Amino acid sequence: MLSTYEAADAIILALDCTRERALEVVAELEGRLAWAKVGMTLYYQEGPSIVAALKERGLKVFLDLKLFDIPFQVGGAAWAAAKSGADLISLHALGGREMISKAVEGVASLEAEDPAKLIAITVLTSMNHETLSSIGITSTMAHEVERLAKLAIASGANGLVCSPEEVGRLRALLGPDALLICPGVRPAGADKGDQKRTATPSEALARGASKLVIGRPIMAAPDPREAFDAIVKEICDAS
Ligand code: C5P
């Protein structure tokens, strides 16, 4: 059975809001929360100072900027993101081998003792088969995710973002040490919003997720601390 500490450490809270609200919720979760995620909504308002503010509060930070550009630009962006102090940095596997390799070089050039890890997004959890077809990808979701996962790992990515629907297959393929991060996580009965490929926290972990990204089910709850504790309890009870 997982301890409360282990269950809480598996949760990365997506702070898709203002700085004020992010720091308010972080304060409410002091002593509970270990990981925070800064995405475009927060980073485009605050820049690297929000990463520093979260690190000062003892949190590990996933800087989820989903880098996707020419290799030269992504190399520079990965360097800058790592310099901000982020522990995890996301980029799109769709950017291809050269782009991912440049990001790896960008992070390595800082020669940090504990370098940031580059996490490649396979297919966004808000997409389904229809969305893939609409952009001209005709293979199945499972095939597309697996193809991009292999490409990203072969290009030097340290981990992957995938949905709870594909995490079991990727865990079997990549073994016990692979870092597999799942968004699209919803407690039973919670509103899915724009997420399409979802599972509950305990299901995603049972299928092999290393960490869960959870935003609105906690951030939009009337009492974020109660929502966080309920998710921790669900994970512990099911483990
Ligand atoms: O609010 P919700 O729990 O849906 O938040 C999920 C978070 O995970 C968002 O911040 C979103 O940017 C991020 N994400 C995602 N799908 C991916 C990668 C990241 O939903 N493939």
Side-chain angles (χ1 to χ4, degrees), residues 142 146 150 165-174 207:
E146 201 174 311
K150 286 181 185 160
E165 287 185 8
E166 301 92 34
V167 72
R169 173 73 189 127
L170 293 189
R171 176 62 67 206
L173 194 72
L174 300 169
R207 291 178 199 171

Side-chain angles (χ1 to χ4, degrees), residues 25 33 179 188:
V25 176
L33 187 66
L179 178 55

Side-chain angles (χ1 to χ4, degrees), residues 113-230:
E113 230 172 75
D114 187 13
K117 291 192 167 74
L118 285 163
I119 308 300
I121 294 150
T122 52
V123 177
L124 292 170
T125 44
S126 54
M127 299 179 94
N128 59 13
H129 185 67
E130 268 170 35
T131 337
L132 279 191
S133 311
S134 75
I135 56 167
I137 297 173
T138 50
S139 58
T140 63
M141 181 65 73
H143 180 264
E144 187 62 10
V145 167
E146 201 174 311
R147 189 181 71 76
L148 289 169
K150 286 181 185 160
L151 168 76
I153 296 294
S155 308
N158 305 108
L160 298 164
V161 178
C162 64
S163 95
E165 287 185 8
E166 301 92 34
V167 72
R169 173 73 189 127
L170 293 189
R171 176 62 67 206
L173 194 72
L174 300 169
D177 297 333
L179 178 55
L180 301 178
I181 300 182
C182 284
V185 174
R186 290 290 180 267
D191 183 13
K192 288 193 178 181
D194 47 6
Q195 297 287 11
K196 298 205 169 65
R197 302 184 344 268
T198 64
T200 65
S202 60
E203 279 166 355
L205 288 172
R207 291 178 199 171
S210 319
K211 300 225 172 282
L212 312 171
V213 171
I214 307 178
R216 287 163 289 182
I218 296 171
M219 297 301 290
D223 183 340
R225 189 161 55 192
E226 201 178 280
F228 184 88
D229 287 348

